[in-house]
Amino acid sequence: MPELPEVETMRRGILAIVGAEIVDVGYPANRLKPIAVTPPRAQFRKRLVDRVISGIQRRGKRIVIDLTGHLHVVIEPRMTGLLLLAEPPDTDHLRVRWELRGAIEQLWFWDRRGLGTISLMKSCQLAERLGPERLGPDALELEAGQLMERLQTSRRAIKVALLDQRAIAGIGNLYASEILHVARIRPGKPCCELTRQQWQRLDDAIRLVLTEAVRYEGSTLSDGTYRTVLNRRGGYQNHHRVYMREGQPCPRCRGRAIRRIVQAQRSTFWCPGCQSR
DNA sequence: CATATGTCCTGAGAGC
DNA sequence: TGCTCTCAGGACATAT
């Protein structure tokens, strides 16, 4: 499940395609339902061919490939989407192939479950669809106190609010649990009940956890789905404090076992000992 | 308006 | 062995 660290790793991994020209776009045939490509495939291909890649951005959990002519390819990996420069994990789930002329000659989009989407947008559409109205401040660019300002009146549980991309962009289910553990905050606590000290600790924990996870190139869980652009595993799964560690002793207090609860149909992992407030 | 739920999709694993 | 069922959770649409 690519969240900010995995998507940032993708962004860094494909930087070498900047300057390349798109020679062709293809869609490998397979038995799977085609993923959503906007506009429809033939037109998407036609509008990309002969354009030059001018930059790569990350906006929350999305990759934006900038093209000449004020166009942008917005890629949402969602659960299992990957950008690859190397040999794919398998060929059954290859969805889109870009043939390039430049330092890198091919880029692939691979997606096992096929929930990912790829959209071509003009600059004005990009500003609308991924602008501040639709996407909160990036979790790695947060200014002190900004999160508190945005959430302090909400009655939602803090864990649920951290997943709201309009409130803050880039945090998903895995890193929300990890962040709250570092911040020593109870995941079910309503936002409006957090103390100033807790908001402060949350700011620090967001930066600490996400920076650490980017350094390890993200998390590859036991299903092995997430891969770097060179089809290698991330390393941060070996440093998770609570995620998928139900029943194991808390790495901080050692006193209590990690628990799993369900919030908004998503698993949350936490320590009832040191996250009691 | 804020918040909650349903939907999409595939493969893995459980249970019979 | 092979069938059916449940589960995982990104973003968005729809409901309360």
Side-chain angles (χ1 to χ4, degrees):
Chain A
M1 45 176 141
E3 304 181 26
L4 186 151
E6 290 77 22
V7 179
E8 176 62 17
T9 303
M10 280 178 208
R11 186 190 70 83
R12 295 179 183 190
I14 65 167
L15 278 176
I17 70 171
V18 173
E21 181 187 335
I22 299 174
V23 175
D24 198 8
V25 180
Y27 311 96
N30 54 46
R31 61 185 179 80
L32 306 172
K33 180 169 182 184
I35 60 154
V37 176
T38 316
R41 301 169 157 231
Q43 204 188 339
F44 180 84
R45 175 189 170 278
K46 200 172 166 187
R47 292 183 62 190
L48 258 61
V49 168
D50 294 336
R51 294 198 188 269
V52 171
I53 294 168
S54 58
I56 312 287
Q57 313 177 45
R58 180 185 57 77
R59 304 253 186 128
K61 302 175 196 172
R62 296 174 175 110
I63 290 284
V64 180
I65 300 177
D66 300 324
L67 305 176
T68 46
H70 306 287
L71 287 176
H72 311 268
V73 176
V74 177
I75 297 168
E76 291 183 17
R78 297 211 186 170
M79 294 303 297
T80 54
L82 300 176
L83 285 173
L84 292 162
L85 299 178
E87 194 71 11
D90 65 57
T91 55
D92 298 344
H93 301 90
L94 288 170
R95 311 286 184 155
V96 181
R97 180 190 74 250
W98 287 267
E99 274 179 45
L100 309 174
R101 184 181 298 119
I104 303 285
E105 301 201 318
Q106 276 196 336
L107 174 69
W108 293 92
F109 185 70
W110 180 97
D111 191 345
R112 180 153 58 77
R113 283 165 58 182
L115 295 175
T117 69
I118 299 180
S119 314
L120 179 65
M121 295 184 195
K122 296 178 194 166
S123 294
C124 58
Q125 293 174 298
L126 181 72
E128 215 172 87
R129 304 271 315 203
L130 299 187
E133 293 285 304
R134 304 288 292 267
L135 219 49
D138 192 89
L140 275 182
E141 314 267 302
L142 265 191
E143 291 163 33
Q146 205 177 2
L147 193 62
M148 181 179 77
E149 279 167 37
R150 299 177 76 91
L151 291 176
Q152 63 185 350
T153 63
S154 169
R155 288 182 300 278
R156 283 183 296 176
I158 182 62
K159 156 63 160 50
V160 176
L162 286 176
L163 300 182
D164 180 353
Q165 302 301 298
R166 289 170 134 93
I168 175 173
I171 298 172
N173 199 52
L174 189 166
Y175 293 102
S177 285
E178 293 295 318
I179 287 164
L180 288 172
H181 181 261
V182 169
R184 309 197 311 276
I185 297 169
R186 180 167 54 84
K189 183 158 190 160
C191 294
C192 55
E193 295 176 13
L194 264 68
T195 65
R196 189 168 288 273
Q197 286 83 355
Q198 286 181 315
W199 286 114
Q200 169 70 57
R201 290 209 302 269
L202 194 53
D203 277 352
D204 294 342
I206 288 168
R207 189 173 313 105
L208 185 143
V209 169
L210 296 180
T211 304
E212 203 170 47
V214 169
R215 189 170 348 113
Y216 284 100
E217 303 190 301
S219 301
T220 298
L221 303 180
S222 57
D223 70 358
T225 300
Y226 169 71
R227 300 276 156 171
T228 69
V229 297
L230 298 178
N231 190 15
R232 293 206 275 254
R233 288 170 172 270
Y236 195 60
Q237 65 280 1
N238 301 318
H239 301 270
H240 291 171
R241 294 159 172 89
V242 290
Y243 190 76
M244 291 294 282
R245 294 191 177 279
E246 184 180 16
Q248 297 179 31
C250 169
R252 181 199 289 120
C253 71
R254 292 269 146 203
R256 303 284 292 269
I258 302 302
R259 280 186 57 193
R260 186 183 83 97
I261 57 173
V262 174
Q263 296 179 277
Q265 290 93 243
R266 271 112 176 115
S267 296
T268 302
F269 296 86
W270 64 297
C271 171
C274 49
Q275 291 173 264
S276 61
R277 300 172 185 278

